[in-house]
Amino acid sequence: MELSCKSEYAILALLEMAAHYESGEPLQIRHIAARQNIPDRYLEQLLATLRRGGIVKSQRGSKGGYLLTREPRKIILFEILECLEGLEARTGEEKVNSKTVDSSVIEEIWQEASRAANSVLQKYTLQDLCEKRDSRRQLDIMYYI
C-alpha cells in the first residue's frame, strides 16, 4: 500500500488543524498551506472532500477557515484515507471469483495484505500522529543543544 500525495497533503493539513484544535479557532487555507508547504488550490479541494466526509467543517466570514469536527483522538487514520481514497474495509468474506487457481491465490494474499494494512490504519488516530511528531521534534531539539 502506497501513500498518495493527496492523502499525505490531507493528513499534513489535518495535523496542522489538530495542533490548533484546543484554541477553537478556525485555520485559513493560506495559513495551513504555508505551514505545510501545500499548494493553496489543491488544499482547497482536499478540505472540501474532508468536509463532505465529516472530518472537517468550514466557518465563513473574516475569521473563517477550517476546523476539525471532533477531537484529534477521535479521528482514525483509516477514516481519513477512506474519505479521500475510497478504501473499503474488506473482511475477506467476499467470494473470490477468479478464473484460475493462480489468480485465486494472488487474490487471497492481496486480501490478507489489505486487511493487515486496514488494521494498522484503524489503530492510529490523528492524536497519535501529533504525539509521534512532537516526540520526534523533542529528539531533534536535544541534538542541537
Side-chain angles (χ1 to χ4, degrees), residues 37-50:
N37 199 24
I38 304 170
D40 290 25
R41 291 274 193 203
Y42 193 49
L43 180 58
E44 194 173 331
Q45 293 170 1
L46 293 175
L47 291 173
T49 301
L50 292 169

Side-chain angles (χ1 to χ4, degrees), residues 43 114 137:
L43 180 58
S114 181
R137 283 182 179 167

Side-chain angles (χ1 to χ4, degrees), residues 77-104:
L77 288 182
F78 181 81
E79 175 186 5
I80 297 165
L81 294 176
E82 185 177 41
C83 173
L84 294 164
E85 306 288 350
L87 297 178
E88 294 179 8
R90 294 183 180 182
T91 59
E93 297 183 18
E94 303 97 10
K95 278 193 170 182
V96 179
N97 252 351
S98 301
K99 295 177 182 173
T100 66
V101 173
D102 295 346
S103 296
S104 176

